[in-house]
Amino acid sequence: MESSNGKPPQGKEEGKAAAAEGSIGGYESLHRLLESNLSPELFKEASRLLLGLNCARPLETISLPGATTALAEAHDFDVQAFRFNADKEQMRQPRIVRVGLVQNSIAVPTTCHFADQKQAIMEKVKLIVDAAGASGVNVLCLQEAWTMPFAFCTREKRWCEFAEPVDGESTQLLQDLAQKYNMVIVSPILERDINHGEIIWNTVVVIGNNGNIIGIHRKNHIPRVGDFNESTYYMEGNTGHPVFETAYGKIAVNICYGRHHPLNWLAFGLNGAEIVFNPSATVGELSEPMWPVEARNAAIANSYFVGSINRVGTEVFPNAFTSGDGKPQHADFGHFYGSSHFSAPDASCTPSLSRYRDGLMISDMDLNLCRQIKDKWAFRMTARYDMYANLLSEYLKPDFKPQVISDPLINKRKA
């Protein structure tokens, strides 16, 4: 069982994880490795540099109900909880929202019947949603394409069977849970668009705390890198950059590959998002050095909170495949490294969940911090949107010429 700050309970040796694929020298995360191997003084300083400070203090941990930790122990998932504070204001009351992120591996081999795979994942994730509900989470986001293996590397069309309508089986399950726990749930699925030729989209369904469907958003940017052959299945979305006003605040969803596009993050901020989720599926060899940087930078630049979610485990497929990177054929993407976490507009962030176990990350966040950071840094006021708009407008023209001023003596030989 994990405590609410992610430390192993007394008497349990983290080194037992050494055999687990995805561990860091037997540790579940970089944070836990450092905590176990540095003196308290050095660890405090390392944490300040790596995680930042919230209102000039380290993040506070949250104690969770026994029902939550009991579920985590019984079903072997990591659970951590932290609090982001804001300064006390005279004219506004705190706007504290409890937010959760769920990361998970698939539940049975990819060789099993598709219906069995989906059912097993839904049963597994329901338990973690129950833990979030027991913890009083107000808004919960699941990982990208959570109801299925991330089979888009294979280019095999049979995996399209996992696609479902917006109001399909997984949505119905989560609608019941949303109503039960008075919780907003963000559910990323493979969507079958029944009204438009049954084409497929990578979509999030936003379910309100009354069990209603508030709306959807479709993935804006589709990767064409390494094994990510997603354009075999779906193309770029057509829903813009919607922000969903919920009972607990204004939220948006930047699906997976969109995190590599700063203007995508910007657009959600311009539309007024206070929390932006980034449900993802990404592997260590490709992106892990970027993972702790991009979302945190987006939170800083756009003065909102970011919740980053990545699946865990290695998914092995029945048939080997190749991609455009020249590697020999292989049957898996690589290791999905989890490491889900929150980032705040003041540059602070939580430690990450496990690199190889299912997990639930919970955070209390005072949304007043968003405006406070806007006032402090004045990024919106000092931005030159007119200048950027003019450049982008010119860039889209066929006769665009970059604004490059060359040294007239660049080719002159030295005397």
Side-chain angles (χ1 to χ4, degrees), residues 46-368:
S47 294
R48 181 186 68 82
L49 295 171
L50 292 173
L51 305 179
L53 298 176
N54 170 239
C55 295
R57 299 184 300 275
L59 282 185
E60 301 174 16
T61 58
I62 299 172
S63 295
L64 296 175
T68 301
T69 53
L71 279 168
E73 180 179 17
H75 301 285
D76 191 30
F77 62 84
D78 186 13
V79 60
Q80 300 183 43
F82 299 89
R83 176 179 292 108
F84 291 101
N85 291 307
D87 291 332
K88 185 177 180 180
E89 298 185 17
Q90 297 187 43
M91 303 292 286
R92 290 194 303 173
Q93 294 298 312
R95 297 178 58 219
I96 298 172
V97 178
R98 180 161 288 191
V99 185
L101 312 174
V102 175
Q103 66 177 42
N104 61 275
S105 60
I106 58 175
V108 297
T110 60
T111 51
C112 292
H113 191 283
F114 285 178
D116 294 336
Q117 292 187 51
K118 184 175 182 180
Q119 185 61 34
I121 293 172
M122 290 174 66
E123 290 174 358
K124 168 191 270 201
V125 170
K126 180 183 180 299
L127 293 169
I128 307 179
V129 177
D130 286 337
S135 303
V137 167
N138 303 126
V139 185
L140 184 70
C141 187
L142 308 184
Q143 68 192 24
E144 183 182 21
W146 72 272
T147 63
M148 62 180 293
F150 208 72
F152 310 121
C153 52
T154 68
R155 296 195 295 267
E156 296 173 355
K157 288 302 183 79
R158 65 197 186 100
W159 299 100
C160 293
E161 290 188 46
F162 280 92
E164 59 181 291
V166 166
D167 59 355
E169 181 183 13
S170 67
T171 299
Q172 293 170 26
L173 168 70
L174 296 177
Q175 285 179 294
D176 290 341
L177 293 171
Q179 195 165 26
K180 177 180 179 179
Y181 294 119
N182 194 28
M183 180 193 297
V184 173
I185 301 179
V186 180
S187 174
I189 64 169
L190 191 64
E191 178 200 352
R192 175 78 67 180
D193 189 352
I194 300 299
N195 294 330
H196 296 90
E198 298 189 291
I199 61 174
I200 291 176
W201 304 95
N202 186 318
T203 300
V204 292
V205 183
V206 180
I207 302 168
N209 59 307
N210 293 305
N212 57 306
I213 297 175
I214 299 176
I216 67 168
H217 173 54
R218 292 167 175 157
K219 188 172 182 175
N220 279 333
H221 298 277
I222 308 302
R224 294 163 178 84
V225 56
D227 289 335
F228 288 83
N229 301 311
E230 295 174 47
S231 56
T232 302
Y233 301 87
Y234 45 78
M235 297 300 288
E236 286 76 11
N238 59 0
T239 52
H241 296 86
V243 170
F244 302 92
E245 187 168 13
T246 74
Y248 304 112
K250 295 179 179 178
I251 68 173
V253 190
N254 184 359
I255 305 174
C256 197
Y257 193 69
R259 72 181 178 278
H260 304 307
H261 296 268
L263 292 180
N264 209 42
W265 291 109
L266 171 66
F268 293 117
L270 294 179
N271 280 329
E274 297 170 307
I275 307 168
V276 179
F277 296 102
N278 178 227
S280 300
T282 186
V283 292
E285 182 180 354
L286 180 67
S287 67
E288 194 162 14
M290 304 158 73
W291 181 250
V293 176
E294 289 174 306
R296 192 175 185 184
N297 184 66
I300 297 167
N302 296 287
S303 304
Y304 51 48
F305 290 92
V306 174
S308 304
I309 313 104
N310 186 26
R311 65 175 56 207
V312 289
T314 301
E315 301 173 357
V316 180
F317 294 94
N319 302 313
F321 53 87
T322 59
S323 298
D325 53 12
K327 294 182 179 179
Q329 65 176 0
H330 45 288
D332 68 85
F333 245 125
H335 180 72
F336 294 103
Y337 52 82
S339 304
S340 302
H341 63 281
F342 284 107
S343 304
D346 65 354
S348 62
C349 63
T350 67
S352 296
L353 287 176
S354 172
R355 291 188 81 256
Y356 61 86
R357 283 200 300 152
D358 297 349
L360 171 64
M361 175 66 79
I362 295 173
S363 173
D364 284 353
M365 49 185 66
D366 188 340
L367 299 183
N368 282 353

